[in-house]
Amino acid sequence: MKKTLALIMAVCLCVFMMAACSSSDTPASESPSEASTDNAAEATEAPADDAAAEASTEASSDDAAADSNSDNSEKTIGISMPTQSLERWNRDGAYLDEQFQAAGYKTILSYSDNKNEQQVADIENMLAQGVDLLVVAAIDGNALNTVMNDAGDAGIPIIAYDRLIMNDNVDYYVSFDNYTVGTLQGQYIIDTLDLDNANGTTYNMEITGGDPADNNAPFFYQGAIDTLQPYLDNGTLKVVSGQVDFDVVGTPQWSTDEALDRAQNVLASYYADGTQLDVWLCSNDSTALGVTQAVTSDYAGDNSVLITGQDGDVANLRNIKDGSQSMTVYKAVANEAVVTLDLAKAILDGKNVGDALIKDSNWDFECIYDTESYETSAGHACPSFLLTPDVVTTDNMEEKLVTPGYYTVDADGYLEATNG
Ligand code: GAL
């Protein structure tokens, strides 16, 4: 499996470099199928193609992919990603596209520029192109009802990728354990500040949450708050601004600029008098980037502020190495794509999907099958495959990110993503 992943990564790197010239979100006027055909054509003609083709053949001759390659060639997978403006989705899109292609499927990949109407149009387009299965990471889990109903009516299986979609036509959900992401952030704060031995010290904290339209965001928030609640209750932690509720701390579209603006306002209103800020709990890296910028430019204290994150975006890994961000919760999206591919194959091959998928697959990473935690509507559970997130700090970056091949180290010692 490791060999497969390494080969897949090699292919990703080549193909992504080739596709780099078209790295902006697919314009509304360009149909996803055109985008994909263009890329495919480029990939075949490009000079680096020999290496890519070789790697691709080897990868697909590996156990998992080999058995059904010839059958898969007639099938097309629609892959709908939310945006290229947040780094991680570029990596997700590249891994998914490459892994499905390496397994012999045709793919249509679109990015919807964080615009709901565009995502609806992109998916409608995929349906019109006759896709056999949809993999969708929603911009807004409540905004895709019509197109999900259309897919359901057409009998097209749907995998909600990373973010759940609130529509009962969704067959499966593949993600990381979102609540655990928050608990890891909370526990990191407890351990790093040694809150259990605070001896009456009060640490001042602020909170920046995720996009209220993203079903994951409340899970991240709740995991962290539940973990920190005892320390908020006994006064070891204090949110000086009083801005605690998810509704108040959320960040539309996970925007770095929105996070920056709010952090600047909070700093100006509550910390300009010299009050010490100790911690800023941020749900992910794009928001942490804005908060870090605000703290760097607008916070007068000379203590270092503990800032959390999630995703392992390159700019944040740089900040972690330089010390202006403390940690990130890393989700190996290469493995999330592996689960999605194996699940899609099982669905399309009419196999029994459930715990059996985990037992039959040769995954060298943790993943659980959960039929209770997520619902697409009240009382309608969505069977979920949940991978395990991991804490990355400056101390274990090499081991967690470079050794497995997800990132390389540049000449200055900073990390670069192997794809995306
Ligand atoms: C969430 C996702 C996070 C982060 C965020 C911003 O749904 O689970 O990993 O990427 O969106 O895109």
Side-chain angles (χ1 to χ4, degrees), residues 182-297:
T183 65
L184 290 174
Q185 293 167 337
Q187 195 57 48
Y188 179 87
I189 292 171
I190 294 167
D191 294 343
T192 307
L193 297 180
D194 196 13
L195 296 187
D196 288 322
N197 297 303
N199 297 325
T201 308
T202 296
Y203 292 94
N204 293 333
M205 175 170 94
E206 296 298 332
I207 304 167
T208 293
D211 184 351
D214 177 347
N215 188 64
N216 290 351
F219 284 91
F220 302 146
Y221 169 87
Q222 208 54 53
I225 292 298
D226 288 350
T227 308
L228 296 173
Q229 196 63 52
Y231 305 90
L232 289 162
D233 289 344
N234 72 15
T236 307
L237 283 175
K238 179 181 177 194
V239 179
V240 176
S241 68
Q243 298 177 14
V244 177
D245 290 351
F246 179 72
D247 294 350
V248 182
V249 301
T251 311
Q253 301 211 322
W254 299 91
S255 153
T256 298
D257 289 345
E258 297 265 358
L260 168 66
D261 283 354
R262 181 170 159 267
Q264 284 179 321
N265 286 335
V266 168
L267 289 172
S269 307
Y270 301 96
Y271 295 88
D273 61 359
T275 302
Q276 176 159 318
L277 170 68
D278 299 295
V279 190
W280 205 304
L281 169 71
C282 295
S283 274
N284 89 329
D285 280 351
S286 59
T287 54
L289 212 54
V291 166
T292 301
Q293 210 175 310
V295 167
T296 307
S297 59

Side-chain angles (χ1 to χ4, degrees), residues 86 88-89 162-163 178 214 216 220 254 284 310-311 331:
L86 296 166
R88 74 155 284 188
W89 300 109
D162 202 85
R163 298 172 173 174
N178 295 302
D214 177 347
N216 290 351
F220 302 146
W254 299 91
N284 89 329
Q310 169 191 192
D311 283 340
K331 308 197 288 197

Side-chain angles (χ1 to χ4, degrees), residues 317 330 392 396-407 415:
L317 294 174
Y330 184 67
V392 166
N396 68 5
M397 221 180 242
E398 184 92 19
E399 171 206 339
K400 299 281 181 185
L401 303 182
V402 180
T403 308
Y406 304 136
Y407 296 75
L415 268 54

Side-chain angles (χ1 to χ4, degrees), residues 1-10 58-60 62-65:
M1 196 64 221
K2 275 198 175 121
K3 187 182 156 213
T4 313
L5 187 59
L7 288 165
I8 286 168
M9 284 175 166
E58 275 183 57
S60 59
D62 206 309
D63 45 358

